[in-house]
Amino acid sequence: MGDQKPPRVFAGERETLMALLQYQRDSLVRTIDGISDDDAQRSPVGSGTTLLWLAQHVAHAEQLWVLHRFAGFSLPTSDPPATVAAALAAYRETWARVARVVEIADFDDPCVDPNSPVNLRWVVMHLLE
């Protein structure tokens, strides 16, 4: 599948930011989906980063920033998924949980974590970077 261009959304801040975040999510899934577990655990770069680790990392980042630091939910205590299919399923599940939090919050609302003195707008922008 070829590259897809980011959405050109003519909407408010929330809709625009969330459309761009979803574009980033979908782009990563398109890159990883269908790759064998063995290939997803190989690192082509000196840092040791693998596609499986990247899928685990982005899911964790959304859980950490939106669900835990912003909304105050506990982080999962289980080990990260060990297969591509499980990692992508966990990532997609995270999207749904994040969407529920974001849709009822205001972008000016602060994180409940006192060690994260930022608002939801900053959190979403951080995930986009």
Side-chain angles (χ1 to χ4, degrees):
M1 178 181 287
D3 287 340
Q4 293 187 4
K5 294 185 188 259
R8 300 210 190 288
V9 179
F10 187 75
E13 178 183 35
R14 177 181 312 272
E15 294 82 7
T16 301
L17 292 176
M18 296 312 292
L20 291 170
L21 180 59
Q22 191 60 49
Y23 167 76
Q24 296 293 343
R25 292 165 167 165
D26 292 338
S27 294
L28 179 63
V29 168
R30 276 193 309 275
T31 300
I32 298 172
D33 197 23
I35 292 181
S36 73
D37 291 333
D38 287 339
D39 286 342
Q41 293 178 39
R42 288 192 184 93
S43 175
V45 294
S47 67
T49 301
T50 67
L51 290 174
L52 180 59
W53 177 87
L54 189 58
Q56 295 164 341
H57 173 74
V58 293
H60 178 74
E62 289 195 34
Q63 292 167 2
L64 176 67
W65 277 105
V66 178
L67 302 178
H68 180 66
R69 291 182 176 162
F70 176 75
F73 296 113
S74 297
L75 286 173
T77 56
S78 58
D79 291 332
T83 66
V84 171
L88 294 181
Y91 188 33
R92 287 181 175 114
E93 180 182 311
T94 298
W95 302 350
R97 293 184 66 206
V98 166
R100 287 192 296 273
V101 169
V102 171
E103 74 185 24
I104 63 171
D106 189 289
F107 272 13
D108 291 325
D109 290 345
C111 288
V112 298
D113 179 354
N115 297 314
S116 300
V118 295
N119 59 19
L120 180 58
R121 178 180 293 102
W122 185 94
V123 168
V124 172
M125 297 293 286
H126 179 59
L127 294 173
L128 279 167
E129 73 176 326

